[in-house]
């Protein structure tokens, strides 16, 4: 317990690093995931094929392998993203966006076909139908599964500990190694800080799900 208290400055720094990586990756993943979902339901064949291929490949690729690619393979191909935060941000964004895409696509599929047909019958283009009619409803329906994706993203930030990014798990490993007598307190203290992020997200998901169900 003494180590957790005396080293709380370092632990708090790790917590902020985890929180900032989660927030930045979440915003970029939502943007990229929305774009991919749009591709997957597009009437343009090549866009649909690209979106499908991307999602299937990324979803079936381990996140650690994604980190390895951007840290060791990409530089040899002339693609430099930098160490630490940059590598973690790119890897998590590209990985999580595939899951965001599928969550949002399920929301798009839940919107009645008749609404899209009605929108097209009054002269709206595919893009207008998607952005003005379908996506607003799809987003509302998809919020609970999207929050589950963000909770998974929060936990996935721990992979950055093995790739030169000093977040909570990095701090935990350092403190447990240097203070083995307090390892148990450090472990549960760090675990509690992850819960500070994930539990509010879970509560928000449950409340939004109830509101969406009531609205229907």
């Amino acid at each position: 317990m003494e180590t957790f208290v005396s080293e709380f400055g370092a632990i708090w720094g790790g917590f902020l690093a985890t929180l900032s990586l989660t927030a930045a990756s979440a915003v970029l993943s939502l943007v990229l995931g929305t774009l991919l979902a749009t591709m997957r339901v597009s009437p343009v064949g090549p866009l649909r094929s690209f979106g499908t291929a991307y999602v299937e490949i990324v979803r079936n690729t381990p996140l650690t392998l994604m980190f390895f690619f951007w840290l060791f393979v990409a530089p040899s191909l002339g693609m430099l993203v930098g160490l630490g935060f940059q590598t973690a941000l790119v890897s998590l964004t590209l990985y999580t966006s595939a899951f965001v895409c599928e969550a949002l696509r399920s929301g798009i599929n839940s919107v009645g076909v008749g609404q899209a047909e009605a929108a097209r019958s009054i002269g709206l283009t595919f893009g207008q139908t998607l952005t003005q009619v379908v996506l607003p409803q799809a987003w509302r329906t998809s919020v609970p599964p999207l929050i589950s994706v963000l909770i998974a993203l929060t936990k996935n930030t721990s992979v950055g500990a093995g790739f030169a990014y000093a977040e909570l798990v990095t701090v935990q490993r350092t403190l447990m190694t240097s203070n083995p007598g307090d390892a148990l307190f450090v472990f549960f203290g760090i675990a509690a800080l992850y819960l500070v992020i994930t539990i509010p997200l879970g509560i928000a998901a449950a409340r939004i799900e109830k509101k969406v169900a009531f609205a229907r």
Side-chain angles (χ1 to χ4, degrees), residues 5-124:
V5 174
S6 62
E7 298 292 342
F8 188 74
I11 293 172
W12 183 248
F15 174 77
L16 293 179
T18 294
L19 190 60
S20 62
L21 179 58
T22 300
S25 301
V27 171
L28 294 176
S29 296
L30 290 173
V31 172
L32 181 56
T34 301
L35 179 60
L36 288 169
T38 302
M39 289 182 178
R40 293 210 64 183
V41 298
S42 170
V44 181
L47 290 180
R48 284 200 313 273
S49 299
F50 175 83
T52 301
Y54 179 93
V55 170
E56 291 302 319
I57 291 172
V58 172
R59 283 201 310 165
N60 292 286
T61 300
L63 177 57
T64 304
L65 193 61
M66 184 77 74
F67 272 83
F68 266 106
F69 175 82
W70 289 106
L71 194 61
F72 301 111
V73 180
S76 65
L77 300 176
M79 296 183 290
L80 300 175
V81 298
L83 296 174
F85 181 82
Q86 292 90 335
T87 298
L89 180 62
V90 172
S91 299
L92 288 169
T93 296
L94 294 178
Y95 184 78
T96 307
S97 61
F99 295 89
V100 170
C101 169
E102 288 303 277
L104 187 55
R105 189 169 70 93
S106 68
I108 292 174
N109 290 336
S110 71
V111 178
V113 177
Q115 296 191 40
E117 292 176 346
R120 287 195 293 270
S121 71
I122 61 174
L124 295 183

Side-chain angles (χ1 to χ4, degrees), residues 23 30 34 81 95 121 125 135 146-147 150-151 216:
L30 290 173
T34 301
V81 298
Y95 184 78
S121 71
T125 64
L135 276 180
L146 283 174
I147 291 182
L150 297 183
I151 290 175
R216 287 181 169 180

